[in-house]
């Protein structure tokens, strides 16, 4: 198995020792991607491994790198309603407004999942002014709506994409 595959595999299994050793041998390993264009950060987010995410971010991995679908680790975390991962990525500078190839931001995925905790987390890191967000649908607007209301995909698409 190549060093890059071993490094990426370690991100999925939580193997900090392998990640540390690979990074110490070659700092450019942080740019390694799998066949889907996912970095170790994407894979750690997919597996909700905060410890690996922190390690990679401390090493300087790009928090907003995109995969072949245009998604960041934050897109993955928001889609999975993983509060700990979303919060860590936002605290460490992940760009919440990047659109994937389907036109969705991480915030759009948080709306789709309607996780109040995740939306509240986004509220801390996104602009309060609706004019700063295409379509004007902010986390604050969603959270002020009825707590039992679930946004439909059409509403999310219209509001998040401004169409």
């Amino acid at each position: 198995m190549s060093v890059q595959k071993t490094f990426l595999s370690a991100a999925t299994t939580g193997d900090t020792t392998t990640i540390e050793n690979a990074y110490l041998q070659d700092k450019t390993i942080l740019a390694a991607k799998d066949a889907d264009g996912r970095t170790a950060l994407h894979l750690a987010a997919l597996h909700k491994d905060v410890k690996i995410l922190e390690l990679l971010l401390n090493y300087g991995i790009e928090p907003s790198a995109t995969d072949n679908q245009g998604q960041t680790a934050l897109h993955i975390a928001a889609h999975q309603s993983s509060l700990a991962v979303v919060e860590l990525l936002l605290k460490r500078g992940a760009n919440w407004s990047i659109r994937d190839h389907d036109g969705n931001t991480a915030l759009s995925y948080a709306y789709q999942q309607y996780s109040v905790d995740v939306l509240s987390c986004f509220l801390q890191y996104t602009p309060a002014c609706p004019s700063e967000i295409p379509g004007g649908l902010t986390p604050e607007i969603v959270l002020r709506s009825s707590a039992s209301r679930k946004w439909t995909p059409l509403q999310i698409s219209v509001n998040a994409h401004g169409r």
Side-chain angles (χ1 to χ4, degrees):
M1 187 181 286
S2 75
V3 175
Q4 287 189 347
K5 285 184 182 180
T6 302
F7 177 76
L8 294 171
S9 177
T12 65
T13 61
D15 184 352
T16 57
T17 303
T18 298
I19 289 174
E20 289 169 349
N21 289 338
Y23 176 74
L24 291 173
Q25 289 177 13
D26 180 8
K27 306 230 183 317
T28 65
I29 196 77
L30 296 177
K33 292 187 174 194
D34 68 9
D36 296 319
R38 292 183 170 169
T39 66
L41 195 69
H42 286 95
L43 299 171
L46 185 62
H47 293 278
K48 302 178 184 177
D49 195 328
V50 174
K51 185 177 179 182
I52 296 296
L53 285 160
E54 285 179 346
L55 180 64
L56 293 167
L57 289 164
N58 288 341
Y59 285 157
I61 198 166
E62 170 54 47
S64 298
T66 58
D67 64 12
N68 294 348
Q69 298 301 311
Q71 293 191 342
T72 66
L74 188 58
H75 282 90
I76 293 167
H79 190 263
Q80 293 182 336
S81 298
S82 180
L83 177 60
V85 175
V86 166
E87 186 170 28
L88 175 63
L89 290 168
L90 287 171
K91 279 182 181 177
R92 299 296 291 270
N95 185 336
W96 59 270
S97 65
I98 293 173
R99 293 187 182 277
D100 65 15
H101 296 323
D102 292 325
N104 293 310
T105 64
L107 192 54
S108 299
Y109 287 114
Y111 291 146
Q112 289 174 15
Q113 300 307 314
Y114 199 76
S115 169
V116 174
D117 292 339
V118 172
L119 286 168
S120 294
C121 184
F122 271 96
L123 183 60
Q124 297 175 43
Y125 297 95
T126 57
C129 178
S131 65
E132 295 180 41
I133 299 175
L137 186 61
T138 67
E140 184 175 12
I141 292 169
V142 173
L143 291 170
R144 286 187 181 181
S145 67
S146 170
S148 63
R149 181 172 182 182
K150 180 143 175 99
W151 293 90
T152 67
L154 179 60
Q155 289 168 316
I156 293 163
S157 178
V158 167
N159 288 308
H161 298 178
R163 295 184 211 141

